[in-house]
Amino acid sequence: MSEWKVVCRIEDIPKLGSRVVKRANGGDIAIFRTSDDEVYALHDKCPHKGGPLSQGIVHGKTVTCPLHSWNIQLHDGHVIAPDVGSCDAIKVKVHENQVFLAI
């Protein structure tokens, strides 16, 4: 069973944008908000060359890496073909406008 930590309010994440949660041990987490207010979280590192996904463009339920335009699915971190790879998806939930991450 996951423990949950409040990291921000949903309004703190711009629609079609992201917010970064810094971690003491590195491995920052990017939290994304879609146009219909769904929230997802991925490690903020593209599996291709380590680009910051938080600086990418959110469209639909994917984010495009700003370095080489790889498209990554927000719900599971898998790269969309023809590219191959994945990054870790983090469990996230929204309750009463608070965004929680699994820790």
Side-chain angles (χ1 to χ4, degrees):
M1 185 164 177
S2 298
E3 292 186 43
W4 297 93
K5 178 179 181 181
V6 176
V7 292
C8 65
R9 296 186 56 77
I10 194 168
E11 296 84 13
D12 296 334
I13 309 166
K15 283 192 179 208
L16 298 177
S18 68
R19 178 182 172 121
V20 176
V21 174
K22 298 284 187 184
R23 297 192 327 175
N25 64 346
D28 296 339
I29 297 171
I31 305 172
F32 301 94
R33 181 178 174 194
T34 66
S35 62
D36 55 356
D37 292 330
E38 291 184 75
V39 178
Y40 300 93
L42 300 173
H43 279 280
D44 193 20
K45 189 173 181 181
C46 179
H48 177 227
K49 297 279 185 177
L53 295 177
S54 60
Q55 294 178 24
I57 297 170
V58 176
H59 46 97
K61 295 183 186 191
T62 63
V63 61
T64 300
C65 178
L67 294 184
H68 300 102
S69 299
W70 278 34
N71 293 304
I72 294 109
Q73 298 177 110
L74 294 173
H75 72 278
D76 62 7
H78 290 123
V79 174
I80 297 173
D83 301 313
V84 181
S86 67
C87 63
D88 292 333
I90 311 299
K91 290 181 183 179
V92 62
K93 69 179 180 179
V94 178
H95 179 69
E96 296 180 356
N97 290 329
Q98 296 287 327
V99 178
F100 294 80
L101 286 180
I103 54 171

